Amino acid sequence: MKKKMLLLNTTVLLGLGGVLSTPTYASTIQDMESQKSQIQNQRQDVQSNIKAASDELTRLQAEQDQMKAQLERLTIAEEENNKKAQKTEADIKETSKQVEQLEKEIKLLQEKLEKRNDILKDRARSLQESGGNVEYLQVLLGSLSFGDFVDRALAVSTIVDADRGILKETKNMQDELKTKQADVKSKLASLEDMKAELDEMTVQLAAQKKQKDALAKELKDKEAKNEELKASLQAKDSSLANEQSTLEQNIKDQKAAEEAARKAAEQAAKEAAKKAAEQAQKAAAAPAEKADSSSAKAEAPKASSNDVAPTSAPAPKASNVVTVGNRWIGNSAYVFGGGRSQSDISHGLFDCSSFVHWAYSQVGVNLGPLGSVSTETLKHAGTQVSSSQMQPGDLVFFDTYKKDGHVGIYVGGGKFIGAQSSTGVAIANMSRGYWKQKFNGRVVRI
């Protein structure tokens, strides 16, 4: 009986030790594990936001780089167009002087003709006063002697020939001067129209630069705010990481302490049981030590990838000429006379005819020497067709500062792509507004 009581006491002590230790362990560890899980969730959110901020920074920086490149193009375009405007202004002054000089010469010839006409009128009046309609023969027959007759004959012949020659020569010179004056005036008008277009272009380029500068500043401000947000998120993540690390260490320490307490309790129970067993004729039952350790190992899934072989770009087709220029939309600037060197092309600096030449060269069609391409050469490069039969890829011409002063590539739907003075390479509507007014009906099929 005494032996049975000792064994029961030992069992109760062991059971009571387990009951007393388990609730403390569960409550403390569970709270810390729950808090750790919350921190991990917060970190996931913060790290997701950090990635979003990094992605946005990458996008903003790419947009900023693109904006800087466009600003550089606009600056070059503005400088080149200013040079062209200055040269055109000088040409206008020189041509104006030529017009003024021609007008003076015409005026002198006009005065000379008027004087000659006055002399002829006086002669006619003298003849009328001598008896009306006097023939040259009567003048000659009125001579007093043979010598007088010869003199009169020579004088009449000389006067007639001289009058006819001088009048004809003067009239021819006047006609020639008027023709020159008309040509020079036409040239002057063309130069003045070009100057007006260049001035308008300069204003538009300045406005574009101002707009792009403002946008670049806005992007820079966004970059700074995003950098600040990213730094704040990274600091938050670092703080949470420290909290998580502290909790993990506390959990580890708590587990170690409670494991030590459990082992101590078990050891105490063993010693009590041993003592009780010794007192019960050395029949002790030594409790087995159980150590529960479980670890879950998550096997990382094997990564699998399907390699896709790169496909080569298809060979260019002539029909692609309406789309090859899309890459320059928003990445180019109009420069009068630009696009005739590799440097200009690589920087996206075109005028209307050099852009057309470049676009066709990309699909394997040569429109003649690049250095001499112009709207004049392009309008003779293919076959003229009616505007009612216009198809994508046809060249369309517009009367701007001169006849056929602008050219583009028809893309369909009443629109064309070209290097426009106000925007650089862009798609414009030729079925209404400005371009409808300027379209002259000339369509050339290459």
Side-chain angles (χ1 to χ4, degrees):
M1 182 69 180
K2 189 174 182 181
K3 182 178 178 181
K4 289 182 179 179
M5 286 299 295
L6 286 171
L7 289 171
L8 180 61
N9 287 339
T10 303
T11 305
V12 169
L13 283 171
L14 288 171
L16 185 59
V19 169
L20 290 173
S21 63
T22 302
T24 305
Y25 175 85
S27 174
T28 304
I29 298 299
Q30 283 177 358
D31 286 348
M32 285 192 290
E33 289 286 3
S34 175
Q35 191 175 355
K36 175 185 170 183
S37 178
Q38 290 175 3
I39 290 174
Q40 286 175 330
N41 289 336
Q42 289 180 39
R43 284 197 70 192
Q44 285 179 356
D45 290 341
V46 170
Q47 287 170 355
S48 176
N49 289 333
I50 289 173
K51 184 180 183 306
S54 296
D55 291 344
E56 178 65 7
L57 270 173
T58 301
R59 188 192 69 78
L60 287 170
Q61 286 164 358
E63 194 172 344
Q64 185 84 340
D65 290 342
Q66 187 178 3
M67 193 65 62
K68 286 177 182 176
Q70 182 64 358
L71 277 169
E72 288 175 5
R73 280 189 286 270
L74 290 171
T75 299
I76 294 171
E78 188 177 34
E79 290 172 354
E80 292 299 320
N81 286 327
N82 280 334
K83 288 179 186 176
K84 187 67 178 178
Q86 290 171 4
K87 183 180 183 305
T88 304
E89 191 170 358
D91 290 344
I92 287 172
K93 288 180 180 178
E94 180 61 31
T95 306
S96 297
K97 288 180 182 178
Q98 293 177 19
V99 171
E100 187 178 345
Q101 181 61 33
L102 286 169
E103 286 177 346
K104 288 180 181 178
E105 291 179 19
I106 290 170
K107 185 177 179 182
L108 288 173
L109 283 172
Q110 191 68 37
E111 290 174 356
K112 191 173 182 180
L113 271 176
E114 288 175 359
K115 288 179 180 178
R116 197 67 188 169
N117 285 336
D118 289 342
I119 292 171
L120 290 173
K121 287 177 184 178
D122 288 343
R123 288 179 182 173
R125 192 177 297 110
S126 296
L127 289 172
Q128 286 176 354
E129 289 173 354
S130 302
N133 233 347
V134 181
E135 300 288 341
Y136 282 125
L137 182 59
Q138 291 175 312
V139 174
L140 295 175
L141 292 175
S143 58
L144 300 175
S145 64
F146 180 74
D148 186 27
F149 173 82
V150 172
D151 289 340
R152 285 188 179 212
L154 286 173
V156 168
S157 175
T158 301
I159 289 169
V160 171
D161 291 341
D163 285 346
R164 185 184 296 112
I166 290 172
L167 287 172
K168 186 176 180 180
E169 181 184 356
T170 306
K171 184 67 169 64
N172 289 342
M173 286 180 67
Q174 187 183 41
D175 291 343
E176 183 180 352
L177 284 172
K178 283 183 178 179
T179 301
K180 284 183 180 179
Q181 186 187 40
D183 290 342
V184 174
K185 281 185 175 180
S186 175
K187 179 183 176 183
L188 179 61
S190 178
L191 286 169
E192 287 173 343
D193 287 345
M194 185 190 295
K195 178 65 168 53
E197 186 164 328
L198 287 167
D199 287 344
E200 177 63 23
M201 198 186 307
T202 301
V203 171
Q204 291 170 347
L205 284 168
Q208 285 183 58
K209 278 189 67 182
K210 186 176 180 181
Q211 182 184 9
K212 292 291 187 295
D213 280 331
L215 190 54
K217 184 179 182 304
E218 183 181 337
L219 286 172
K220 200 70 179 173
D221 292 343
K222 284 182 180 178
E223 263 187 47
K225 288 179 181 178
N226 223 51
E227 286 280 13
E228 186 179 342
L229 173 63
K230 183 180 176 182
S232 173
L233 289 168
Q234 287 173 332
K236 177 67 175 173
D237 183 59
S238 178
S239 175
L240 288 170
N242 288 335
E243 287 185 43
Q244 181 179 332
S245 178
T246 301
L247 274 172
E248 287 172 349
Q249 186 61 45
N250 289 344
I251 291 170
K252 184 179 178 181
D253 293 345
Q254 183 69 16
K255 283 182 177 180
E258 292 181 354
E259 179 67 14
R262 185 184 69 80
K263 286 183 178 180
E266 286 181 355
Q267 185 63 33
K270 284 179 183 181
E271 290 177 358
K274 183 179 180 182
K275 190 175 180 180
E278 286 176 352
Q279 291 176 356
Q281 298 178 352
K282 297 181 181 179
E289 295 181 8
K290 296 179 181 180
D292 295 332
S293 61
S294 60
S295 59
K297 295 183 180 180
E299 183 179 354
K302 294 182 180 180
S304 62
S305 63
N306 295 323
D307 294 333
V308 179
T311 57
S312 58
K317 297 179 180 178
S319 59
N320 293 340
V321 74
V322 300
T323 57
V324 291
N326 290 351
R327 58 171 288 198
W328 294 115
I329 296 175
N331 297 305
S332 59
Y334 184 96
V335 175
F336 202 100
R340 286 161 179 78
S341 68
Q342 192 53 50
S343 175
D344 278 1
I345 292 172
S346 62
H347 286 88
L349 305 175
F350 296 98
D351 65 9
C352 61
S353 53
S354 66
F355 170 74
V356 168
H357 187 284
W358 173 86
Y360 267 93
S361 72
Q362 299 305 294
V363 296
V365 179
N366 186 354
L367 295 181
L370 176 60
S372 58
V373 66
S374 67
T375 54
E376 192 65 26
T377 63
L378 290 176
K379 75 181 185 182
H380 299 297
T383 304
Q384 291 198 33
V385 297
S386 168
S387 60
S388 62
Q389 298 175 331
M390 194 158 45
Q391 296 177 2
D394 290 345
L395 304 188
V396 286
F397 291 80
F398 305 84
D399 293 343
T400 51
Y401 71 94
K402 68 174 184 177
K403 185 169 181 59
D404 299 319
H406 189 72
V407 64
I409 301 170
Y410 186 63
V411 299
K415 296 179 180 179
F416 75 100
I417 187 170
Q420 325 297 11
S421 61
S422 58
T423 57
V425 175
I427 294 175
N429 194 330
M430 59 184 286
S431 61
R432 65 168 187 246
Y434 176 82
W435 292 113
K436 181 180 180 180
Q437 295 173 3
K438 297 296 181 180
F439 179 51
N440 61 17
R442 186 188 298 277
V443 179
V444 173
R445 185 160 296 158
I446 301 300

